[in-house]
């Protein structure tokens, strides 16, 4: 499967993201919806408030992960990926403005034909991590549901990360002027 196909699927899923927003402190506390443009040729996204060249810039890069003969991980820009291969998404948000930005919510879809690898989410930013089974309701881990067991009785079960369709980070602080925040996660190609 070509990485461009996965990026196209990712771009289609990004259209459904409603909750990606930046609350700009100096704009009378009005919520600004972010508009995402997928640049397929560059394997990156550009994000700006109100569709203009606002202070928040976002870049998404896609890497393939391999394990070498010594058992060490090697990460390189993804061109193609085979079923069973692992992709790592790296999203970087940079405040290019002169004042802090508040209320960043980073929402990332799990592309079709991939499975989220639980525990692969990574950031240096103190954040709340949430996951969604349907792209609408986001919950902290572990996600629990009532399901029928083999005897037909209802019991509470923990939902495995392979069922996640979207993930989300909510940083617990603002992005300072000229600061960048990086968020990563991995998926396995089905």
């Amino acid at each position: 499967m070509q990485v461009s196909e996965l990026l196209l699927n990712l771009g289609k899923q990004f259209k459904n993201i409603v909750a990606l927003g930046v609350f700009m402190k100096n704009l009378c506390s009005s919520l600004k919806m972010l508009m995402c443009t997928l640049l397929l040729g560059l394997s990156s996204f550009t994000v700006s408030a109100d569709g203009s060249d606002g202070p928040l810039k976002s870049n998404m890069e896609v890497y393939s992960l391999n394990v070498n003969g010594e058992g060490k991980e090697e990460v390189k820009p993804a061109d193609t990926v085979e079923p069973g291969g692992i992709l790592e998404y790296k999203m970087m948000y940079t405040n290019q403005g002169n004042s802090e930005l508040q209320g960043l919510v980073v929402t990332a879809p799990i592309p079709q034909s991939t499975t989220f690898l639980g525990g692969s989410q990574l950031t240096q930013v103190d954040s709340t991590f949430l996951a969604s089974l349907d792209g609408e309701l986001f919950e902290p881990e572990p996600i629990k549901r009532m399901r029928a067991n083999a005897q037909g009785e209802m019991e509470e079960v923990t939902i495995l990360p392979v069922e996640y369709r979207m993930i989300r980070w909510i940083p617990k602080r603002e992005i300072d002027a000229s600061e960048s925040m990086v968020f990563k996660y991995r998926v396995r190609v089905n």
Side-chain angles (χ1 to χ4, degrees):
M1 175 177 288
Q2 294 289 328
V3 171
S4 60
E5 292 175 54
L6 286 173
L7 286 172
L8 183 58
N9 286 337
L10 186 65
K12 288 177 184 176
Q13 291 178 28
F14 245 69
K15 290 179 183 178
N16 296 325
I17 296 174
V18 177
L20 179 61
V22 170
F23 205 144
M24 297 172 35
K25 181 178 181 181
N26 60 348
L27 290 180
C28 303
S29 300
S30 62
L31 183 62
K32 301 292 181 181
M33 293 306 293
L34 295 180
M35 308 208 57
C36 298
T37 305
L38 176 60
L39 304 175
L40 287 174
L42 301 176
S43 299
S44 65
F45 292 95
T46 300
V47 180
S48 61
D50 289 338
S52 64
D53 288 332
L56 182 67
K57 296 295 179 191
S58 174
N59 184 52
M60 179 181 237
E61 299 170 345
V62 183
Y63 298 94
S64 62
L65 175 73
N66 296 303
V67 178
N68 67 20
E70 299 171 3
K72 295 184 180 181
E73 289 185 352
E74 295 178 340
V75 179
K76 62 180 183 175
D79 294 323
T80 61
V81 62
E82 299 292 327
I86 296 174
L87 294 175
E88 179 175 272
Y89 291 92
K90 176 183 174 184
M91 301 171 292
M92 183 166 44
Y93 292 83
T94 303
N95 179 358
Q96 296 181 336
N98 297 323
S99 61
E100 67 187 26
L101 296 176
Q102 296 180 348
L104 177 69
V105 175
V106 178
T107 303
I110 308 306
Q112 291 179 5
S113 302
T114 69
T115 302
F116 175 70
L117 296 178
S120 71
Q121 67 275 9
L122 179 66
T123 185
Q124 297 289 323
V125 180
D126 187 17
S127 302
T128 299
F129 179 76
L130 305 170
S132 176
L133 306 178
D134 60 9
E136 294 180 23
L137 175 64
F138 286 84
E139 305 171 74
E141 294 182 295
I143 297 176
K144 304 235 180 216
R145 291 289 184 275
M146 296 300 291
R147 294 203 173 154
N149 63 20
Q151 292 77 32
E153 299 169 352
M154 296 301 287
E155 66 181 10
E156 185 177 65
V157 297
T158 300
I159 304 300
L160 298 175
V162 298
E163 294 188 46
Y164 297 174
R165 296 314 327 137
M166 290 188 167
I167 57 174
R168 175 176 286 170
W169 290 269
I170 303 174
K172 294 180 180 179
R173 64 175 185 79
E174 68 282 339
I175 305 176
D176 294 327
S178 301
E179 181 184 13
S180 293
M181 292 183 172
V182 176
F183 303 85
K184 297 179 183 180
Y185 68 103
R186 292 177 177 178
V187 297
R188 182 179 308 279
V189 177
N190 298 334

